[in-house]
Amino acid sequence: MLLFQDILELITSEARKHIETVNEKDVIFDPTEHAHITIRLIRYQKENNFKPKMEAIKEDVEKMPFVKSIKFESGYLNINLDSSYLYRAISESIETTGTFPDSFQDPERVSVEHTSTNPTGPIHMGRIRNSIIGDSLSRLISRYGYRVVTQYYVNDSGKQMISLYLGYEKFHKGEPMTEEILLDGYRKIYEYLEKVGSEGEVENLMELYEKGDGDLISKVREIAQVMLDRIVEDMKALDIHMDEFTWESEFITTGETKEVVSRLSESLHDENGAKYIDVPDVRKIFLMRGNGTSLYLTRDIAYHMYKFSQYDRCIVVVGEDQKEHGKVMKYIMNDLLEYPNSLEYLFYGMVGLESGKMSTRKGTGVYARDVYKQLVEKAREEVIKRYKDGEDVDDISRKIAVSSLRFYMLKVSTSKPITFKWEDALDFNGETAPFIMYSYTRAGSILKKVTTSGKADFKDMKEEEEALLVEMYKYPYKIIEAYRNLKPEVLTNYLLVLSRKFMRFYENCNIMGEETNISNRRVEIVKMFMKIMKDASYLVGIEHVDRM
RNA sequence: GGGCGCGUGGCCAAGCCUGGAUAUGGCAACAGCCUCCUAAGCUGUAGAUCAGGGGUCCGAAUCCCCUCGCGCCCGCCA
């Protein structure tokens, strides 16, 4: 959990002394420009004795150390904060703990499963959204104070993998197993199957596989590994790291799918030898085929049983096309198997193309690595425009590319579908990662040029300084909001707002050539800003550079 | 057909969970700002029946119902 002084809560409890039903929703950072914090009392206005109660609240709140002023305006008690208090609160936290807000390690173990894309080809823009959301989510939960492990479920069984294998065997047998060759075989096998019209070959192999044929399983796994290595490489380029890989085939070879079926035996029904369960409000869900082989869901249950043995809380990041699958899993794990562990899903909206859907098989996908490469190129051009010299150009370009791609995927609510457009992805102006990075760079360049000594004082605090301080003080609340709702996008939006507030500060509050007391104070504000920026940016994968 | 979700200026989004003060930003457009800490920026102008209709409420972009439009799901696939 986070450790910081929750002034909203303090104000709430103060208000409650006089009007008992005031709750945390009534005391908020004011979204309009009337005040820093407001207490919404509109709905109490018509009650008896409202005025004396309101006056009493006003009087008590006014005495609070962080309150500069408070006045009643059309149903609201509008509070302006003492920005020197905020300044000290933030700087003390940073001085004593090295961070703002500080956090306390919770013993609960959390698993975040993400990406888990079939290793049948390079990761495309649809799937990379999963990785980016999942990685940011794991950073966020860890920042909040939990021990987090990220997990990739490697789907090396099933029709698509068998097809990939068959494509190689049929069209490229003996050739080196490279991504390119495997992909070529994959496309050819689908064309072949469509022409010949017989999927019998695939089905026979699947059955063989399902029965646990060691030779076949290891061959398929070898191919999967080749593809997976490239996927991991692509993720690594975006600073996405997976802690653990679990192979689906292991649940077949170890017989754990059989364990699943026996544990669920009481709920199983029979249909021509196949076994299914009835999931309320859904339909018949099959766990065993008539021929005795398992299905994807069966293996996924086994995987979740494994996860539940290791983690208290399991979060799965998957596309919204799997909402029903998630519902079924929850029902099975919590209601039928009665696990107490928490299973949560973050369903994200699909990434489409202007021309339609992405498909590796059909070759209509846009690969993440291609977008990344283009971003690096574009970034390099932009950097060179500004600085002809320097060995750091590669590093800067890389960081801009990583940040831009991650930001692009997170700026819109994760639950909303997005349409990938090259033009938008490559845009560096407006609400983009470079905007956020640029505010940090500007802050840094002040520190390079200004030396401070001595004390700061708080006279003549400008509006832009106060606004920046208040915004920084909101940071813990933003982490909490993002964490509770599993919404990393709360932080990208926060970063935009914070950067914008800084830009205004930068434009309006001079530091060089200012009176020392004031410039000392502003320099400290700049330092705090950079600290919080770096902290929040890390959570969503935005990196910072000294110059750009 | 059934289920789930979405619909906010020309375009893209925030706000919706937890109802309240003039609906917040960006892109594009127009007009300005670099003898001064990086103009990837800042300031200003213009632009909105919050899909439509009904309901609840003192009060609705936000909650409920209906209609329309769009997306996703409805395999002994994964």
Side-chain angles (χ1 to χ4, degrees), chain A residues 428-442:
Chain A
F428 289 164
N429 295 308
E431 293 175 330
T432 64
F435 172 77
I436 292 165
M437 296 172 74
Y438 187 55
S439 71
Y440 183 89
T441 307
R442 281 181 135 184

Side-chain angles (χ1 to χ4, degrees), chain A residues 148-162:
Chain A
V148 182
V149 166
T150 50
Q151 299 186 300
Y152 189 125
Y153 184 46
V154 189
N155 225 288
D156 61 334
S157 335
K159 206 177 192 170
Q160 294 188 46
M161 282 310 303
I162 294 290

Side-chain angles (χ1 to χ4, degrees), chain A residues 35 116 130 132 278 314 326 347 408-409 506:
Chain A
S116 300
N130 188 318
I132 289 167
D278 253 317
C314 295
F347 297 106
Y408 180 73
M409 286 298 184
Y506 181 91

Side-chain angles (χ1 to χ4, degrees), chain A residues 115-332:
Chain A
T115 309
S116 300
T117 183
N118 292 350
T120 51
I123 193 159
H124 59 63
M125 287 303 282
R127 282 305 184 138
I128 205 73
R129 190 172 196 205
N130 188 318
S131 315
I132 289 167
I133 292 168
D135 188 62
S136 301
L137 189 66
S138 71
R139 293 182 189 200
L140 168 65
I141 294 172
S142 158
R143 176 69 176 87
Y144 188 79
Y146 291 100
R147 294 200 170 282
V148 182
V149 166
T150 50
Q151 299 186 300
Y152 189 125
Y153 184 46
V154 189
N155 225 288
D156 61 334
S157 335
K159 206 177 192 170
Q160 294 188 46
M161 282 310 303
I162 294 290
S163 306
L164 184 64
Y165 163 77
L166 195 60
Y168 175 72
E169 288 290 308
K170 254 195 169 21
F171 302 105
H172 294 288
K173 195 173 171 69
E175 291 175 50
M177 273 187 200
T178 63
E179 187 189 52
E180 292 68 29
I181 285 176
L182 290 172
L183 265 179
D184 185 70
Y186 192 49
R187 290 192 183 120
K188 285 191 174 134
I189 196 71
Y190 273 95
E191 285 169 21
Y192 167 81
L193 291 174
E194 243 169 64
K195 261 185 217 154
V196 178
S198 145
E199 294 211 347
E201 280 179 82
V202 175
E203 273 155 28
N204 289 342
L205 281 171
M206 277 176 75
E207 195 167 338
L208 201 59
Y209 188 103
E210 280 286 332
K211 297 237 158 101
D213 184 295
D215 192 42
L216 177 61
I217 290 180
S218 70
K219 275 185 188 159
V220 173
R221 181 158 170 164
E222 195 186 343
I223 286 175
Q225 187 70 58
V226 171
M227 294 305 218
L228 184 63
D229 286 346
R230 298 299 302 274
I231 291 170
V232 169
E233 207 176 281
D234 287 349
M235 289 200 290
K236 195 179 169 195
L238 299 177
D239 299 334
I240 296 166
H241 166 80
M242 304 292 318
D243 295 317
E244 203 183 301
F245 294 84
T246 305
W247 294 74
E248 187 177 355
S249 55
E250 282 167 17
F251 296 109
I252 296 173
T253 52
T254 58
E256 282 171 75
T257 50
K258 303 226 164 52
E259 168 76 9
V260 169
V261 173
S262 81
R263 295 237 346 233
L264 286 165
S265 58
E266 279 179 31
S267 318
L268 287 183
H269 304 279
D270 191 281
E271 189 177 291
N272 305 324
K275 308 286 183 203
Y276 69 89
I277 52 170
D278 253 317
V279 179
D281 304 321
V282 185
R283 62 197 152 91
K284 289 178 186 173
I285 299 290
F286 284 84
L287 290 180
M288 275 291 167
R289 295 192 182 91
N291 66 9
T293 57
S294 68
L295 284 123
Y296 166 75
L297 176 70
T298 328
R299 273 116 52 188
D300 205 17
I301 295 168
Y303 177 45
H304 279 74
M305 281 164 55
Y306 158 73
K307 285 203 280 185
F308 278 12
S309 72
Q310 309 285 313
Y311 305 98
D312 303 293
R313 189 173 166 200
C314 295
I315 300 170
V316 184
V317 180
V318 281
E320 65 179 348
D321 53 345
Q322 295 196 51
K323 271 190 178 169
E324 193 178 83
H325 177 75
K327 191 174 173 183
V328 169
M329 280 301 295
K330 269 189 170 174
Y331 174 73
I332 292 172

Side-chain angles (χ1 to χ4, degrees), chain A residues 272-420:
Chain A
N272 305 324
K275 308 286 183 203
Y276 69 89
I277 52 170
D278 253 317
V279 179
D281 304 321
V282 185
R283 62 197 152 91
K284 289 178 186 173
I285 299 290
F286 284 84
L287 290 180
M288 275 291 167
R289 295 192 182 91
N291 66 9
T293 57
S294 68
L295 284 123
Y296 166 75
L297 176 70
T298 328
R299 273 116 52 188
D300 205 17
I301 295 168
Y303 177 45
H304 279 74
M305 281 164 55
Y306 158 73
K307 285 203 280 185
F308 278 12
S309 72
Q310 309 285 313
Y311 305 98
D312 303 293
R313 189 173 166 200
C314 295
I315 300 170
V316 184
V317 180
V318 281
E320 65 179 348
D321 53 345
Q322 295 196 51
K323 271 190 178 169
E324 193 178 83
H325 177 75
K327 191 174 173 183
V328 169
M329 280 301 295
K330 269 189 170 174
Y331 174 73
I332 292 172
M333 299 309 289
N334 295 132
D335 296 329
L336 295 184
L337 295 173
E338 299 181 330
Y339 278 97
N341 310 53
S342 141
L343 175 60
E344 292 152 78
Y345 285 87
L346 191 167
F347 297 106
Y348 65 91
M350 303 280 112
V351 181
L353 297 171
E354 288 173 282
S355 55
K357 285 193 190 178
M358 289 195 208
S359 161
T360 306
R361 218 181 296 157
K362 292 175 190 155
T364 55
V366 174
Y367 295 151
R369 67 168 76 121
D370 294 336
V371 177
Y372 173 73
K373 274 182 210 153
Q374 293 262 354
L375 278 165
V376 173
E377 273 320 297
K378 173 95 187 288
R380 183 190 306 277
E381 278 170 32
E382 295 293 324
V383 174
I384 289 171
K385 253 189 230 169
R386 294 162 176 84
Y387 301 97
K388 293 198 172 64
D389 59 320
E391 307 127 20
D392 52 353
V393 172
D394 283 348
D395 183 58
I396 295 170
S397 314
R398 194 200 129 254
K399 285 178 174 162
I400 290 173
V402 170
S403 305
S404 296
L405 187 44
R406 294 186 62 135
F407 184 85
Y408 180 73
M409 286 298 184
L410 280 177
K411 71 174 168 183
V412 176
S413 293
T414 55
S415 62
K416 289 199 177 181
I418 53 178
T419 302
F420 173 79

Side-chain angles (χ1 to χ4, degrees), chain A residues 456-474:
Chain A
D457 80 30
F458 299 101
K459 66 170 185 185
D460 306 325
M461 186 92 80
K462 273 199 174 182
E463 198 185 311
E464 290 84 1
E465 282 177 89
E466 294 199 334
L468 182 57
L469 280 165
V470 171
E471 203 56 44
M472 292 196 283
Y473 201 80
K474 288 182 192 170

